[in-house]
Amino acid sequence: MARKISMKQAINEALDLEMRRDPAVIVMGEDIVGGAGSPGEEDAWGGVLGVTKGLHAKYPGRLLDTPLSESAYIGAAIGAAACGMRPVAELMFLDFMGVCFDQILNQAAKFKYMFGGKAKTPVVIRAMVGAGFRAAAQHSQMLTPVFTHVPGLKVVCPSNAYDAKGLLIQAIRDDDPVIFCEHKNLYGHEADVPEEAYAIPFGEAAVVREGKDVTIVSYGLTVHRALEAAERLAKERIEAEVIDLRTLSPIDWDTVLESVETTGRLVVVDEANPRCSIATDVAAHVVQEAFGALKAAPQMVTAPHTPVPFSPVLEDLYIPTADAITAAVSKIAPRAMAA
Amino acid sequence: MTDQRIKPVVMPKWGLAMEEGKVTGWLKRPGDRIAVGEEIVEVETDKIAGVVEASEAGVLRRAIGEVDTVYPVKALIGVVADADVPEEEIDAYVAGYVTPSADEAGEEEAGPTYEFVETPAGRLRYARRGEGAETIVLVHGFGGDLDNWLFNIDALADKATVYALDLPGHGQSAKAMPEGGVEGLARALLGFMDALSIERAHLVGHSMGGAVSTLAANAAPGRARSLTLIGSAGLGEEINAGYIAGFVSAASRRELKPVVEQLFADPSLVSRQLVEDLLRYKRLDGVSAALEALSGAFLADGRQKTLVASSLAALDIPVLVVWGAEDRIIPAAHAEALNGRAKAEVIPGAGHMVQMEKASRVNELIGAHVTG
């Protein structure tokens, strides 16, 4: 039965249901139980923002608080996955990937390929992404394109509680390594979520709004900014179709291309930095595959090519805004529509 | 006194979740004479598009709802009145109309929430409306749920106490499929009636739900006061097996949409949200297995193997058969299968989901059948 819960609760519920279903599922990370010195299980924090709260009491021994060494425990999780477990390792902030990237890039992503398809690596690496949390340059980046660049990794970034639950369940059941990116400013966002377990297949974008005049492609937090822009554009009689990619590897080209073939106009909104990003990837692919359908040059609305600022004023300007998206659409919408 | 001669045309409430709807086109112009049941204005919700039909006769005096504009449920979108009602009175009525708030409307309808009941076939979801002495139970088809009766349940509640359930494996009911395919679902239907102490009911079944209802009526003589079979399975061997296979296997919006469009004479009725809601159901753990088991149980080599027509002869209860003339799932020719045993009505301009596409005609037929 569906009821409204937050994205944080939805992620907790996905972990809970999969741990109940499959004893091979374990959860690892820094302070995910409560950390050394936590006064007790009842009031254990359950991770830096409480996403894993309550799971330790339900599944004693299956939540492992790790030392502050990402290179050690991400490597251990990948090794456990290669040996038959289904670990979900929490990397806290995706920005911390630097110290464990060899384990991800050269080990987890390569096992299946280098062992001739005989090795499975069913590991999920959950991590917070994105700006707007006043957490400065080392805890706020949208590093999704770093991972989509690597073959052998699956990359997921949900925009809402319903998708977060279904995509995390799919990630845990998937036999390949999955980088699961959770936008920290969406943790409180609520949606209708069924109580039961369900899996959303990877590579299936969601058309979250239908429209005939322009296609806006996004993922994560900026899907909501795109929807806000689409509402404003509708008042000017411009009907925007909004596509939420949901998974970035694999990516649902068919849904994007079909939409652009109808609208003839593309705006890609990406919170990542602009060079070699999801925005450039989508724009380039559409230009190559659907050039004949395009009535105007694709537009990219992204963060600037700077670190995430600590100044709140600057940080608010950093994430693509509904204003910036509306302006990008207006630039390519024909005058007749804008009038 | 004039208020009784002035009848509002309001934004309808189709289903529990509907809070607003968009006027998409007027089928009548101000000044047109309107008979009961005539289509007045087209409305689209995020679930489905439909038509508002006249509940009372008169002249359309005002078409207030503007095309492509969204109005809350129960907002005044038009006025029907006799030709001799003065213009000033109509204007005064429009000026004085206050749209009931969503909360008030909810209270009026006395708790239209979904409920759950434990049965031998597991926990089943249902909706209940009306307080009439007669009882109607609405039984959806393969892959459907109680929202397939979105346009029927409230209209029928004027005449009877109406229940609509999610069969096992469907909607928000338990996903485990009972043994025995369609027969198993018929036992589950009787178990549902037992659990809610429904002694006797008029069974109304759509598609596979028609076969379920017929088997239940046979298995428990006396429990069914009448049968209404809508686009029913079990009355002949032909079936669009491609539809069933497509519905079971489709995992994405692009795969599912063309499959679901076959259900309607007018495929444009299939909205983004309708497809999304079906996908959300199909993704739940256990649903694929339930649908595969069920389709395997009632189909063999692309033909129906659960045939119930002959068993109807032995049943001493009134039977009504309703079909959409443009049904692309089960041919409308099956409406004649009962050949005098049942009243048969084939409705033009409708497909397999005839109870949605021509709701007011179907409601009228069911109403007359259960009260007559």
Side-chain angles (χ1 to χ4, degrees):
Chain A
M1 192 193 157
R3 71 281 185 252
K4 276 208 172 2
I5 59 170
S6 70
M7 188 160 114
K8 186 154 86 176
Q9 289 169 291
I11 291 166
N12 183 288
E13 204 168 270
L15 292 168
D16 191 352
L17 288 166
E18 288 306 284
M19 290 186 88
R20 190 188 307 168
R21 189 186 62 86
D22 183 351
V25 177
I26 55 169
V27 175
M28 304 168 67
E30 294 162 2
D31 286 355
I32 54 154
V33 173
S38 158
E41 292 173 3
E42 290 305 312
D43 55 355
W45 268 58
V48 65
L49 292 182
V51 175
T52 47
K53 195 174 177 64
L55 295 177
H56 171 66
K58 279 189 182 173
Y59 306 101
R62 290 171 63 191
L63 272 79
L64 311 176
D65 262 347
T66 63
L68 295 185
S69 172
E70 287 82 8
S71 35
Y73 78 83
I74 293 294
I78 291 165
C83 295
M85 302 301 284
R86 290 192 177 265
V88 180
E90 181 179 306
L91 183 53
M92 204 178 284
F93 296 96
L94 197 60
D95 314 64
F96 302 165
M97 65 165 209
V99 290
C100 55
F101 205 48
D102 184 65
Q103 286 82 334
I104 299 171
L105 163 77
N106 273 329
Q107 309 303 327
K110 303 292 190 282
F111 285 166
K112 189 175 183 179
Y113 179 77
M114 293 182 73
F115 296 127
K118 288 180 197 158
K120 284 184 199 169
T121 315
V123 64
V124 181
I125 298 173
R126 289 181 43 237
M128 282 186 269
V129 295
F133 202 63
R134 311 297 184 235
Q138 297 158 325
H139 304 78
S140 303
Q141 299 167 83
M142 181 58 90
L143 293 167
T144 42
V146 175
F147 295 93
T148 55
H149 190 76
V150 180
L153 298 178
K154 292 177 176 170
V155 185
V156 179
C157 189
S159 71
N160 62 77
Y162 173 84
D163 287 351
K165 179 172 169 180
L167 291 168
L168 183 53
I169 289 176
Q170 176 61 40
I172 293 169
R173 296 178 186 179
D174 202 283
D175 284 340
D176 294 320
V178 178
I179 310 297
F180 195 88
C181 305
E182 301 165 11
H183 202 295
K184 46 184 99 60
N185 277 356
L186 288 174
Y187 274 155
H189 189 268
E190 295 194 342
D192 283 333
V193 179
E195 285 171 14
E196 303 102 308
Y198 58 93
I200 298 176
F202 288 171
E204 167 79 7
V207 180
V208 289
R209 189 185 205 282
E210 282 182 316
K212 58 178 178 21
D213 299 324
V214 59
T215 302
I216 307 178
V217 176
S218 194
Y219 66 94
L221 177 82
T222 46
V223 169
H224 301 279
R225 304 274 169 94
L227 284 169
E228 199 184 321
E231 287 297 319
R232 289 191 210 166
L233 290 161
K235 296 201 176 85
E236 299 166 32
R237 302 219 161 250
I238 298 173
E239 291 298 335
E241 183 142 295
V242 180
I243 294 176
D244 178 355
L245 291 169
R246 296 202 282 212
T247 67
L248 307 172
S249 278
I251 189 166
D252 183 357
W253 292 126
D254 289 346
T255 293
V256 173
L257 290 170
E258 267 173 31
S259 176
V260 174
E261 279 160 7
T262 311
T263 62
R265 295 177 179 83
L266 172 69
V267 173
V268 197
V269 185
D270 185 2
E271 197 187 316
N273 301 113
R275 303 280 318 284
C276 302
S277 62
I278 306 302
T280 57
D281 190 27
V282 172
H285 190 81
V286 167
V287 167
Q288 180 172 292
E289 299 299 323
F291 187 73
L294 286 169
K295 296 171 185 158
Q299 301 293 306
M300 292 179 270
V301 183
T302 67
H305 200 63
T306 71
V308 179
F310 185 50
S311 151
V313 178
L314 294 177
E315 189 179 14
D316 290 342
L317 289 170
Y318 183 90
I319 307 176
T321 58
D323 279 343
I325 300 166
T326 311
V329 171
S330 302
K331 207 171 148 190
I332 55 170
R335 279 168 208 284
M337 274 198 270
Chain B
M1 290 305 288
T2 50
D3 269 9
Q4 288 166 14
R5 294 194 297 153
I6 301 176
K7 296 122 191 171
V9 179
V10 300
M11 179 56 67
K13 184 169 173 66
W14 290 327
L16 304 181
M18 180 171 170
E19 287 167 5
E20 57 184 30
K22 182 157 87 174
V23 172
T24 51
W26 283 90
L27 303 170
K28 296 285 177 191
R29 294 169 181 285
D32 285 356
R33 182 155 283 286
I34 291 165
V36 174
E38 270 196 279
E39 299 181 336
I40 304 177
V41 55
E42 292 175 323
V43 164
E44 191 179 285
T45 76
D46 57 5
K47 300 265 188 227
I48 194 163
V51 180
V52 178
E53 294 163 341
S55 52
E56 291 178 86
V59 172
L60 183 65
R61 302 291 295 272
R62 296 283 185 282
I64 298 162
E66 286 186 37
V67 171
D68 283 339
T69 306
V70 172
Y71 295 90
V73 163
K74 302 215 167 155
L76 188 70
I77 54 174
V79 177
V80 171
D82 294 338
D84 57 355
V85 177
E87 291 293 321
E88 311 80 72
E89 286 183 30
I90 305 266
D91 287 334
Y93 181 86
V94 172
Y97 185 88
V98 180
T99 304
S101 78
D103 288 347
E104 285 172 42
E107 276 167 21
E108 260 171 51
E109 282 157 26
T113 43
Y114 298 128
E115 294 175 76
F116 288 84
V117 61
E118 293 296 337
T119 78
R123 187 166 176 259
L124 303 185
R125 182 180 71 147
Y126 68 100
R128 179 182 187 271
R129 305 290 171 80
E131 297 293 338
E134 296 289 320
T135 301
I136 297 175
V137 178
L138 304 171
V139 186
H140 66 77
F142 179 79
D145 66 19
L146 55 82
D147 277 336
N148 292 168
W149 307 103
L150 202 64
F151 302 114
N152 316 102
I153 185 165
D154 288 312
L156 294 172
D158 291 344
K159 299 185 174 63
T161 306
V162 188
Y163 293 86
L165 80 158
D166 289 344
L167 290 169
H170 290 79
Q172 293 182 19
S173 286
K175 296 302 174 294
M177 189 55 65
E179 289 292 306
V182 183
E183 286 90 351
L185 292 178
R187 281 192 296 277
L189 171 58
L190 292 168
F192 169 79
M193 290 170 64
D194 292 340
L196 292 173
S197 305
I198 302 169
E199 188 48 41
R200 303 185 73 198
H202 300 272
L203 300 181
V204 177
H206 173 243
S207 194
M208 182 195 72
V212 170
S213 301
T214 307
L215 291 170
N218 260 307
R223 300 292 297 272
R225 292 183 68 88
S226 75
L227 276 175
T228 303
L229 308 176
I230 302 172
S232 182
L235 302 182
E237 289 190 359
E238 295 85 2
I239 187 165
N240 180 347
Y243 165 81
I244 303 287
F247 186 87
V248 172
S249 69
S252 72
R253 186 184 53 81
R254 281 188 317 283
E255 288 165 358
L256 189 58
K257 194 171 185 216
V259 173
V260 176
E261 282 174 348
Q262 298 178 64
L263 290 169
F264 296 88
D266 175 5
S268 70
L269 293 177
V270 176
S271 67
R272 184 189 69 80
Q273 192 62 42
L274 191 146
V275 176
E276 174 64 20
D277 287 350
L278 276 172
L279 280 174
R280 285 184 177 216
Y281 154 69
K282 283 178 57 57
R283 284 177 194 138
L284 294 171
D285 275 9
V287 167
S288 305
L291 292 178
E292 275 169 28
L294 186 55
S295 63
F298 78 79
L299 292 185
D301 300 327
R303 300 177 82 77
Q304 298 188 52
K305 64 178 186 192
T306 305
L307 299 177
V308 300
S310 58
S311 72
L312 276 167
L315 277 174
D316 185 25
I317 51 172
V319 181
L320 167 68
V321 178
V322 179
W323 230 284
E326 293 168 43
D327 194 322
R328 285 185 276 165
I329 310 301
I330 303 177
H334 289 195
E336 304 307 324
L338 297 176
N339 204 10
R341 169 66 187 87
K343 282 179 281 180
E345 177 95 10
V346 177
I347 301 175
H352 193 58
M353 303 306 283
V354 57
Q355 82 277 29
M356 296 182 105
E357 282 187 282
K358 295 290 171 193
S360 81
R361 180 68 187 133
V362 172
N363 293 339
E364 200 180 314
L365 288 165
I366 299 172
H369 185 60
V370 303
T371 54

